[in-house]
Amino acid sequence: MENKNVYENLEPKTKNLIDMYITARQFKNAVLEEEMIILPAKQNGMIDGTILKWGGAKITFKGDKQITRIFPFIVNKAFACEVYLKLVLIVDDFDFMKIKRSELHELLKLYENITEKFKEDFFRFFLINYGEKANKEFLENEIKNISNVFKKWRYIYEQNGKENIVNNGFLNIFCDYLDKYSQKLILDKYNYDVSKDMR
């Protein structure tokens, strides 16, 4: 309740940023990584609830039905990344007129306009998760590979089987980092703890 009272007294711009964060978080959590691929446990000789990592994805064995949510996982994570990046840019007073309207969904274009401090912090985080093969060129290639995922994968049925392969592990890590970064940014700059906002 205390958080709600704090929210009501914030300026409209701050409320908008918090609402952006809440929106991004809801899309980020719409399909969890362990819910992306669910295979029948008994039929596959597995103990119910077993989770295996395979090709950058988590496969959960439970119940007796096969459930695949790869497309919504990828589309929702990509859209969440877009909203988080826009939130960070708004906090930094970025002029969106510098980006063509057709590029506003492109993660790489948004990322290129983020501060160098953000990029350095993310690179350090990236090194921890990717180890020896990680370098700045590799990182930028990963971002380039997911840059247009939201635009392409939301109409996946129009791709006629030509959809690009997406490193959903990287997409997930990028989204998680943006979530934590945005959460801290709002707390530090506006003294509002979005982790206590139940929306």
Side-chain angles (χ1 to χ4, degrees):
M1 195 66 165
E2 178 187 329
N3 217 33
K4 186 176 183 196
N5 293 336
V6 171
Y7 178 84
E8 294 304 325
N9 293 316
L10 295 171
E11 294 179 11
K13 179 186 175 185
T14 306
K15 284 182 182 178
N16 185 54
L17 290 168
I18 291 166
D19 291 344
M20 286 178 77
Y21 172 83
I22 299 300
T23 299
R25 180 174 65 193
Q26 287 186 15
F27 276 96
K28 172 189 169 290
N29 295 329
V31 178
L32 301 177
E33 191 177 16
E34 56 273 7
E35 296 173 343
M36 189 171 39
I37 301 171
I38 299 173
L39 297 177
K42 192 173 182 180
Q43 184 180 335
N44 287 287
M46 303 296 281
I47 297 170
D48 199 62
T50 301
I51 298 174
L52 296 178
K53 280 204 153 237
W54 178 72
K58 286 184 180 175
I59 299 174
T60 301
F61 294 88
K62 75 176 186 185
D64 59 0
K65 292 182 182 169
Q66 179 172 320
I67 302 168
T68 307
R69 298 181 179 114
I70 296 170
F71 300 154
F73 176 87
I74 289 172
V75 170
N76 285 323
K77 292 283 182 180
F79 183 63
C81 288
E82 177 187 328
V83 176
Y84 285 132
L85 286 167
K86 287 177 177 175
L87 182 155
V88 173
L89 287 167
I90 289 169
V91 170
D92 290 336
D93 294 319
F94 177 73
D95 179 7
F96 282 91
M97 297 302 284
K98 293 180 180 179
I99 298 177
K100 294 177 193 170
R101 186 167 171 76
S102 62
E103 297 173 330
L104 286 173
H105 289 301
E106 294 180 22
L107 299 182
L108 181 62
K109 188 53 80 173
L110 296 170
Y111 179 81
E112 287 172 345
N113 287 287
I114 293 283
T115 65
E116 289 305 314
K117 180 179 179 346
F118 173 92
K119 290 177 187 173
E120 289 299 320
D121 290 347
F122 179 60
F123 182 64
R124 280 193 291 281
F125 176 81
F126 180 70
L127 284 173
I128 292 166
N129 285 280
Y130 272 76
E132 294 175 13
K133 67 178 180 179
N135 58 46
K136 290 187 179 181
E137 183 180 342
F138 181 79
L139 170 61
E140 289 194 10
N141 279 334
E142 288 293 324
I143 294 172
K144 187 186 291 182
N145 289 337
I146 64 167
S147 186
N148 289 309
V149 166
F150 177 69
K151 289 199 290 191
K152 289 181 179 178
W153 282 63
R154 64 187 169 162
Y155 300 118
I156 197 73
Y157 53 87
E158 294 178 351
Q159 300 295 318
N160 297 319
K162 296 178 185 173
E163 70 273 359
N164 296 332
I165 294 172
V166 173
N167 181 343
N168 60 336
F170 175 76
L171 180 61
N172 202 36
I173 287 169
F174 190 44
C175 197
D176 285 346
Y177 181 81
L178 287 167
D179 177 74
K180 288 178 179 68
Y181 185 89
S182 300
Q183 197 174 103
K184 185 176 182 327
L185 189 64
I186 290 169
L187 183 61
D188 292 349
K189 190 151 177 115
Y190 305 106
N191 198 29
Y192 186 83
D193 188 353
V194 287
S195 71
K196 293 181 180 173
D197 193 312
M198 299 309 291
R199 289 179 287 162

